[in-house]
Amino acid sequence: MPKATTRNAALDRTRTFLTLVVVIHHAVIPYTYFGHTDPKSWLGFDAVVLATDSFFMAMFFFLSGLFVWPSLAHKAPQIFIRDRLLRLGLPFAIAAFTIIPIAYYAIALRQQPDISFTAFWWKTITVGPWPSGPLWFLWVLFAFDLVASVFYSLSSRLLDPINRLSLRGHDRPAQFFAVLLAVTAVLYIPGRIHFGAGSWFEFGPFSVQHGRVLLYATYFFFGAGIGAQNLDRGVLSADGRLAKSSWGWAIIALVPYCLMWVLIYIKREILGNPERLPAWYEGTYGLFFAVFSVAIMFVILAYFLRFKQSGLSILDPMQADAFGIFLVHYPIVLWLQYWMFDYDIPAIAKALVAFVLTVLLSWATSILLRKILGATHVL
């Protein structure tokens, strides 16, 4: 049975960093050159969005998976499910009726300036569409937790092959990288070819990209396999080879990232930016996407593992509120963008204001929410 361990500073800082990446992603989207919804745009933000969209949610599933098997080992299945419902299901349900409608009301006002919030809210939950924004992550993660609990009840050793691969990854992270990449490519590329990049499953506030479900599942269960036991002795060990080789992984990540830009050029300038792309294009793009996604995750993990022993980090004060920031940031950033829409200032300035104020306001909101009696069990 896996033993309980103290908090892992490297993983805490990685999770907090990813939360800030989520805020950056949403802060710059309106100001991208190809998909801008604001009068101002900057091509550099397209580079940011292409990078962040290619890895950050998958990496969140990976980090979440790391602690699933130890939790299942120490809790009865019904207790595990109850705790996950409290941690994931309750915030999702509350946010679906409050945070998300407040966020999307800012967009609705641009299309219908005279619509009241009450009318918009009622239409959202009765007629739809009822988007969940970034909070789709919560219900999908809960679904993966349910599957993991079933797997654990069948055999607690089901993920041992991944764990052994992680232990070998202490000295040979390239081997772990190759296996994770191969599984990711096999499970992700066919779905991308079949569904395309923009197809979403939607049922009320429950939504997820069709083509990425198996991608996220791969990251989640590989994380669960690493965390099943010996987390500090495997590929994520602070004294392992991965922690000493971040520059090498950065080069590996840069190549497929540049190749994705080549394919984007081909799509827009040669293929004429069709709504449905040929299978060869989706398959090739999917391969570059998978390589970049795994490689950039290794870059980030290597960086934070290397500095695990350092005493202080600017991310540490935010660590306890990272989940709260993730939950509440979306309406804040959308309303800031709504407020700046008519101002004739550069896109970079708008994005910077949106990012800084969203971080500060969502952090303050999280701190206040955590003062509510019992809120720390959820946030």
Side-chain angles (χ1 to χ4, degrees), residues 7-18 20 303-304 307-323 325 363 367 370:
R7 294 199 68 90
N8 186 309
L11 297 180
D12 278 342
R13 291 167 184 173
T14 302
R15 183 175 70 108
T16 305
F17 169 76
L18 282 182
L20 293 178
Y303 175 81
F304 285 105
F307 296 102
K308 178 180 179 181
Q309 304 304 324
S310 62
L312 296 174
S313 168
I314 59 174
L315 298 173
D316 290 344
M318 199 178 293
Q319 184 270 320
D321 295 291
F323 185 49
I325 291 171
W363 190 3
I367 291 173
R370 282 169 54 83

Side-chain angles (χ1 to χ4, degrees), residues 263-339:
L263 286 176
I264 291 172
Y265 174 83
I266 292 173
K267 179 183 72 170
R268 292 185 174 276
E269 302 300 328
I270 298 178
L271 298 180
N273 201 25
E275 184 175 344
R276 184 68 179 176
L277 290 158
W280 67 263
Y281 181 96
E282 293 288 17
T284 306
Y285 191 99
L287 177 60
F288 296 155
F289 179 100
V291 177
F292 174 75
S293 179
V294 179
I296 196 66
M297 182 175 75
F298 271 45
V299 172
I300 295 169
L301 289 170
Y303 175 81
F304 285 105
L305 288 170
R306 174 178 296 182
F307 296 102
K308 178 180 179 181
Q309 304 304 324
S310 62
L312 296 174
S313 168
I314 59 174
L315 298 173
D316 290 344
M318 199 178 293
Q319 184 270 320
D321 295 291
F323 185 49
I325 291 171
F326 177 83
L327 289 176
V328 305
H329 82 278
Y330 201 51
I332 295 173
V333 71
L334 289 188
W335 277 98
L336 285 170
Q337 290 160 351
Y338 172 84
W339 167 65

Side-chain angles (χ1 to χ4, degrees), residues 21 24 62 64 70 76 115 165 180 202 208 210 221 249 301 351 378:
V21 170
I24 291 173
F62 177 85
S64 300
I115 189 173
L165 182 66
L180 175 56
E202 293 178 322
V208 66
H210 283 117
F221 283 104
W249 295 112
L301 289 170
V378 178

Side-chain angles (χ1 to χ4, degrees), residues 89-107:
L90 181 61
F92 179 81
I94 294 174
F97 286 93
T98 56
I99 290 175
I100 293 304
I102 292 172
Y104 282 96
Y105 183 52
I107 297 176

Side-chain angles (χ1 to χ4, degrees), residues 113-377:
D114 58 341
I115 189 173
S116 69
F117 177 72
T118 304
F120 171 76
W121 183 87
W122 184 249
K123 179 179 179 294
T124 297
I125 66 171
T126 56
V127 179
W130 192 353
S132 58
L135 300 185
W136 62 264
F137 170 76
L138 300 181
W139 82 264
V140 176
L141 179 57
F142 178 71
F144 288 166
D145 285 331
L146 287 178
V147 174
S149 67
V150 173
F151 285 172
Y152 189 88
S153 66
L154 296 174
S155 173
S156 62
R157 305 184 67 86
L158 197 62
L159 300 183
D160 278 7
I162 298 177
N163 193 260
R164 289 193 294 270
L165 182 66
S166 172
L167 291 175
R168 292 196 297 272
H170 180 279
D171 299 317
R172 296 185 292 275
Q175 187 179 95
F176 190 93
F177 171 87
V179 175
L180 175 56
L181 174 58
V183 175
T184 298
V186 168
L187 295 179
Y188 169 62
I189 294 175
R192 184 182 179 102
I193 293 174
H194 180 73
F195 292 107
S199 176
W200 283 72
F201 162 81
E202 293 178 322
F203 180 76
F206 300 94
S207 60
V208 66
Q209 280 178 280
H210 283 117
R212 294 193 184 184
V213 173
L214 294 181
L215 171 77
Y216 298 144
T218 300
Y219 276 77
F220 177 82
F221 283 104
F222 264 81
I226 294 173
Q229 53 185 334
N230 304 309
L231 175 61
D232 59 345
R233 290 168 48 197
V235 68
L236 298 185
S237 171
D239 62 354
R241 184 72 178 272
L242 175 61
K244 303 172 184 177
S245 55
S246 57
W247 285 111
W249 295 112
I251 295 172
I252 294 174
L254 184 62
V255 173
Y257 177 76
C258 293
L259 290 173
M260 284 194 291
W261 271 110
V262 171
L263 286 176
I264 291 172
Y265 174 83
I266 292 173
K267 179 183 72 170
R268 292 185 174 276
E269 302 300 328
I270 298 178
L271 298 180
N273 201 25
E275 184 175 344
R276 184 68 179 176
L277 290 158
W280 67 263
Y281 181 96
E282 293 288 17
T284 306
Y285 191 99
L287 177 60
F288 296 155
F289 179 100
V291 177
F292 174 75
S293 179
V294 179
I296 196 66
M297 182 175 75
F298 271 45
V299 172
I300 295 169
L301 289 170
Y303 175 81
F304 285 105
L305 288 170
R306 174 178 296 182
F307 296 102
K308 178 180 179 181
Q309 304 304 324
S310 62
L312 296 174
S313 168
I314 59 174
L315 298 173
D316 290 344
M318 199 178 293
Q319 184 270 320
D321 295 291
F323 185 49
I325 291 171
F326 177 83
L327 289 176
V328 305
H329 82 278
Y330 201 51
I332 295 173
V333 71
L334 289 188
W335 277 98
L336 285 170
Q337 290 160 351
Y338 172 84
W339 167 65
M340 291 187 291
F341 185 88
D342 294 319
Y343 283 89
D344 187 20
I345 56 178
I348 295 176
K350 287 188 174 184
L352 183 62
V353 170
F355 172 70
V356 173
L357 290 183
T358 298
V359 170
L360 294 177
L361 293 174
S362 56
W363 190 3
T365 303
S366 178
I367 291 173
L368 292 175
L369 289 174
R370 282 169 54 83
K371 293 183 180 298
I372 298 173
L373 183 64
T376 53
H377 295 295

